[in-house]
Amino acid sequence: NFTVMANKRNIKKNINYIAGELFTECLVQSLYVPGTDKEKADKLMGEILTCQDDFLRRISHVEPGNVKGFFKKLREDFNAKTDEFVEAIGKLN
């Protein structure tokens, strides 16, 4: 989960880092944890990458009149999505 950052570049770095960690966790579980549903893991990895792209795109199109509210909503949405992915990774077995 990320908090309020100083600039868009830092937010993008955090999104990339968190998405990379989620993707790696999913991949490791798929490859090394017996009983993992590999098909579900592959689908989840695709969803993580799509989500990453979506959030990076959103950062590039900030609402002009409501910058603070925009980033607050972005942070809330990203944190919620991250929690969903963590829960889904836990259910791959």
Side-chain angles (χ1 to χ4, degrees):
N1 297 347
F2 72 87
T3 57
V4 176
M5 296 293 137
N7 60 38
K8 289 194 263 186
R9 184 178 67 224
N10 286 340
I11 295 171
K12 288 180 180 182
K13 283 181 182 180
N14 278 328
I15 288 173
N16 285 329
Y17 174 77
I18 293 168
E21 289 294 313
L22 290 169
F23 185 89
T24 302
E25 182 65 30
C26 194
L27 181 63
V28 167
Q29 183 149 344
S30 173
L31 294 174
Y32 300 111
V33 177
T36 299
D37 185 338
K38 299 204 185 307
E39 201 171 294
K40 281 173 69 175
D42 289 344
K43 183 178 181 214
L44 185 58
M45 286 186 283
E47 290 174 12
I48 291 168
L49 294 177
T50 300
C51 178
Q52 177 185 14
D53 289 343
D54 290 345
F55 278 97
L56 291 175
R57 256 189 238 106
R58 279 176 64 180
I59 290 171
S60 298
H61 303 289
V62 178
E63 296 172 17
N66 186 21
V67 175
K68 195 172 188 175
F70 174 83
F71 282 107
K72 182 180 179 190
K73 175 84 168 112
L74 179 85
R75 183 178 66 247
E76 290 169 355
D77 292 350
F78 186 75
N79 290 343
K81 200 67 174 162
T82 300
D83 292 343
E84 286 178 33
F85 286 135
V86 169
E87 189 176 317
I89 290 169
K91 292 180 180 179
L92 287 175
N93 293 12

